[in-house]
Amino acid sequence: MSEELEPVWAVAANVVLWRRYGDLGQELRPGTKAYRGGAKVFVASAYVGMGHEQLTTIGRGRHTGRWITIDTATRHLHGFRAKLLYTPAVLRRYAQVTWWPVRTEEEAVEYAALLERIAVEQRASYHGGPHPDPCLCHECLSRG
């Protein structure tokens, strides 16, 4: 039952190390509930009608280390890039949930750039209050 799966171009990203949480974003939490900070994930699908606020991602789970498929807020991801996907377990999950497969490297690069812009905008606008002091969120760590 060893099927040969063809590699596909996909968009990869990393989970932010620290994210703002709570009232006005004054608390900091590492990674997300499902992923550790810095974990590499693959974007399988997006909710375009909602302005790409949520993405369906495939990555290694925080608690089990097994491959999981879960919806993740775009603002919790960074470093979007085009990546040729080879891993059979990820390819199978990708085929089950994607409805708009990226066909070429150029498409993946364009989509990665769009998602990076959206993620930066969402992180900047999501919490209305000032950053806590000291702040370890992605923006603050990226600046310094």
Side-chain angles (χ1 to χ4, degrees):
M1 187 163 122
S2 172
E3 61 185 274
E4 284 294 321
L5 298 171
E6 290 292 318
V8 297
W9 280 101
V11 175
N14 292 90
V15 177
V16 295
L17 294 176
W18 293 92
R19 63 184 167 95
R20 293 175 68 190
Y21 179 82
D23 292 335
L24 300 177
Q26 294 302 300
E27 294 179 48
L28 294 169
R29 296 232 172 135
T32 67
K33 186 175 181 181
Y35 296 122
R36 293 177 185 200
K40 179 166 68 171
V41 298
F42 296 96
V43 177
S45 190
Y47 295 93
V48 181
M50 295 174 50
H52 291 84
E53 287 180 9
Q54 295 280 322
L55 302 173
T56 302
T57 58
I58 302 169
R60 297 263 186 189
R62 171 187 282 274
H63 303 289
T64 64
R66 293 180 177 212
W67 292 106
I68 62 171
T69 304
I70 194 166
D71 290 344
T72 306
T74 306
R75 69 181 182 277
H76 297 322
L77 303 175
H78 72 95
F80 291 89
R81 61 206 176 272
K83 193 86 170 164
L84 195 54
L85 183 55
Y86 293 98
T87 310
V90 178
L91 285 169
R92 282 191 292 277
R93 286 178 177 271
Y94 187 83
Q96 290 174 349
V97 297
T98 194
W99 53 270
W100 49 264
V102 176
R103 289 176 176 72
T104 64
E105 181 180 11
E106 293 77 26
E107 287 179 12
V109 169
E110 284 179 30
Y111 197 60
L114 171 69
L115 291 176
E116 187 68 36
R117 283 192 309 272
I118 291 170
V120 168
E121 290 170 7
Q122 287 181 356
R123 280 192 298 270
S125 66
Y126 190 77
H127 292 289
H131 290 247
D133 187 32
C135 188
L136 299 172
C137 78
H138 183 72
E139 271 69 43
C140 294
L141 289 175
S142 297
R143 278 187 239 144

